């Protein structure tokens, strides 16, 4: 007799529905992790305007690498090169050995001995001539170029238009003084400030002078024994930073006593200066930059009459502030946060395996950080916004 076989019961049968299998817990967990990971990646891609990438530049850290608007300048003791953010050479300007230069966002002042060049952002010289004596320093703005010539303690200050014609000069004011720095300010760079110190004085005395070009001297301030080393024009005010305090002056060098801030033990690192409104001024501890390697752990940001402190969980070699974002670099990571948040995000730097960041040179207008590595190589790094 043939055995009659009945239908096998389905162990996966549930409530009369055939063939439906109950998922195992570990499978569900893997699916959840995959979905969350994909969601996080999508969130990062949608909320990060630029991925962090690195591009090696054809220069060395010792080549006087300087930010120039969206570009990068470097000088190899023969020629000044202008690079795009990605490393391509835009133009070059031969100047010989021993030259020096300073840059605004749109122009360069280059000098070598008594020779002066004024060069635009396309590498074209609008002026080239020999001064009456050796050039000590030159500073360029959007409309004028300040040139200091003569002996160290008997300098002459020349103000030239960008085509080289003379707009103003000053000699008597600086007799016995050493001019350390200068800069233009105002809506159309119509004003000039200078910092000088009294060479023959018993104590250090830094002097701030202000001028309206081709018209008159507008102010003079003796900063006594505090060494002033940085001047910023922001929100229609001059910020003068000394080793002890930060002062606020109007365009005529009249002091706002209520805005003086104590900065002893801190030193200027960077500033984010908008076209309107208060600047954000970034400072770091002097004790954290005094050794052979910078170890930044605390940042101090001044804005208007207020300040905030930012603590870094990992020591960094450099910090910058750009378009409202603080960027900090360790040897192999980028940390960043948008003000006023104090929560830093972190990104690995996709540098070659043997490269370690040793310093931050600056941030271009195209939102690229220029960093130097311990072996002297220089990289351009795209920054998240």
């Amino acid at each position: 007799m043939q055995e009659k076989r009945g239908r096998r019961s389905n162990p996966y049968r549930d409530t009369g529905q055939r063939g439906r299998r109950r998922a195992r817990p570990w499978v569900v967990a893997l699916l959840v992790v995959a979905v969350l990971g994909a969601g996080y990646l999508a969130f990062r891609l949608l909320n990060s305007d630029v991925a962090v990438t690195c591009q090696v530049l054809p220069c060395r850290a010792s080549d006087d690498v300087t930010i120039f608007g969206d570009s990068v300048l470097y000088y190899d003791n023969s020629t000044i090169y202008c690079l795009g953010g990605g490393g391509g050479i835009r133009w070059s300007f031969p100047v010989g050995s021993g030259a020096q230069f300073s840059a605004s966002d749109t122009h360069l002042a280059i000098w070598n001995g008594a020779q002066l060049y004024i060069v635009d952002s396309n590498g074209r010289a609008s002026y080239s001539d020999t001064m009456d004596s050796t050039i000590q320093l030159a500073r360029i703005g959007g409309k004028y170029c300040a040139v200091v010539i003569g002996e160290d303690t008997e300098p002459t200050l020349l103000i030239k238009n960008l085509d080289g014609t003379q707009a103003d000069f000053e000699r008597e004011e600086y007799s016995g003084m050493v001019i350390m720095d200068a800069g233009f300010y105002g809506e159309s760079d119509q004003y000039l400030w200078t910092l000088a110190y009294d060479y023959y004085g018993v104590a250090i005395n830094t002097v701030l002078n202000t001028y309206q070009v081709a018209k008159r001297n507008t102010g003079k301030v003796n900063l006594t024994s505090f060494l002033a080393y940085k001047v910023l024009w922001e929100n229609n005010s001059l910020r003068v930073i000394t080793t002890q305090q930060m002062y606020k002056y109007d365009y005529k060098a009249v002091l706002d006593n209520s805005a003086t801030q104590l900065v002893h033990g801190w030193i200027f690192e960077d500033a984010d200066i908008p076209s309107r409104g208060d600047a954000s001024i970034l400072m770091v501890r002097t004790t954290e930059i005094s050794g052979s390697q910078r170890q930044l752990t605390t940042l101090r940001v001044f804005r208007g009459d207020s300040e905030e402190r930012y603590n870094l969980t990992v020591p960094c070699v450099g910090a910058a502030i750009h378009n409202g974002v603080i960027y900090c670099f360790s040897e192999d990571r980028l940390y960043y946060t948008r003000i006023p948040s104090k929560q830093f995000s972190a990104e690995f730097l996709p540098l070659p395996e043997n490269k370690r960041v040793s310093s931050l040179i600056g941030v271009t207008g195209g939102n690229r950080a220029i960093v130097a590595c311990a072996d002297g190589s220089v990289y351009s790094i795209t920054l998240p916004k």
Side-chain angles (χ1 to χ4, degrees), residues 45-324:
L45 291 174
L46 290 172
N47 288 276
S48 179
D49 294 331
V50 179
V52 176
T53 62
C54 296
Q55 176 66 49
V56 66
L57 299 184
C59 56
R60 305 291 295 171
S62 58
D63 287 341
D64 200 6
V65 184
T66 303
I67 304 300
F68 183 45
D70 291 344
S71 306
V72 178
L73 302 172
Y74 77 92
Y75 170 54
D76 65 357
N77 204 37
S78 173
T79 301
I80 294 176
Y81 295 89
C82 179
L83 307 176
I89 296 177
R90 291 181 172 174
W91 51 261
S92 59
F93 195 91
V95 291
S97 62
Q100 300 178 70
F101 68 92
S102 66
S104 67
D105 286 341
T106 57
H107 290 82
L108 285 83
I110 307 169
W111 65 99
N112 194 346
Q115 182 71 38
L116 175 68
Y117 305 93
I118 297 176
V119 179
D120 67 15
S121 59
N122 294 312
R124 293 190 292 262
S126 60
Y127 177 73
S128 172
D129 204 354
T130 303
M131 302 294 99
D132 293 337
S133 57
T134 301
I135 299 171
Q136 294 183 27
L137 63 85
R139 296 292 183 265
I140 193 88
K143 188 175 181 181
Y144 301 108
C145 179
V147 187
V148 179
I149 65 173
E151 299 297 325
D152 289 346
T153 58
E154 294 295 332
T156 298
L157 174 65
L158 306 177
I159 310 299
K160 292 185 170 293
N161 295 299
L162 297 184
D163 63 2
T165 56
Q166 190 152 307
D168 204 349
F169 77 98
E170 178 61 57
R171 181 181 295 111
E172 294 181 1
E173 187 66 37
Y174 297 105
S175 180
M177 308 289 287
V178 176
I179 299 177
M180 299 182 295
D181 203 358
F184 294 95
Y185 64 99
E187 289 187 1
S188 57
D189 279 359
Q190 71 271 37
Y191 297 101
L192 170 74
W193 59 263
T194 65
L195 282 180
Y197 73 88
D198 184 355
Y199 183 79
Y200 297 106
V202 176
I204 294 176
N205 181 28
T206 309
V207 179
L208 170 72
N209 286 89
T210 58
Y211 304 90
Q212 187 173 5
V213 176
K215 291 190 177 180
R216 66 185 186 278
N217 298 4
T218 56
K220 181 178 181 178
V221 178
N222 290 308
L223 297 169
T224 63
S225 59
F226 298 154
L227 179 62
Y229 65 91
K230 191 71 179 180
V231 178
L232 305 170
W233 174 249
E234 56 98 14
N235 201 17
N236 295 318
S237 299
L238 286 169
R239 289 278 184 173
V240 180
I241 305 173
T242 76
T243 52
Q244 298 291 324
Q245 293 177 311
M246 180 164 60
Y247 299 103
K248 181 180 180 181
Y249 296 91
D250 69 7
Y251 76 100
K252 292 183 177 180
V254 176
L255 177 65
D256 180 355
N257 284 295
S258 65
T260 299
Q261 293 166 298
L262 183 66
V263 294
H264 176 68
W266 298 80
I267 191 168
F268 176 86
E269 179 83 352
D270 196 19
D272 185 17
I273 305 177
S275 57
R276 295 187 181 276
D278 292 321
S280 295
I281 301 171
L282 175 64
M283 291 192 174
V284 299
R285 294 184 188 274
T286 55
T287 55
E288 295 182 347
I289 65 169
S290 58
S292 59
Q293 184 177 6
R294 294 161 61 95
Q295 297 283 323
L296 308 183
T297 61
T298 306
L299 309 177
R300 196 174 175 189
V301 177
F302 295 88
R303 190 172 187 274
D305 298 329
S306 63
E307 68 162 290
E308 293 289 342
R309 298 199 183 195
Y310 293 77
N311 296 317
L312 305 176
T313 56
V314 175
C316 290
V317 298
I321 185 166
H322 183 69
N323 291 336

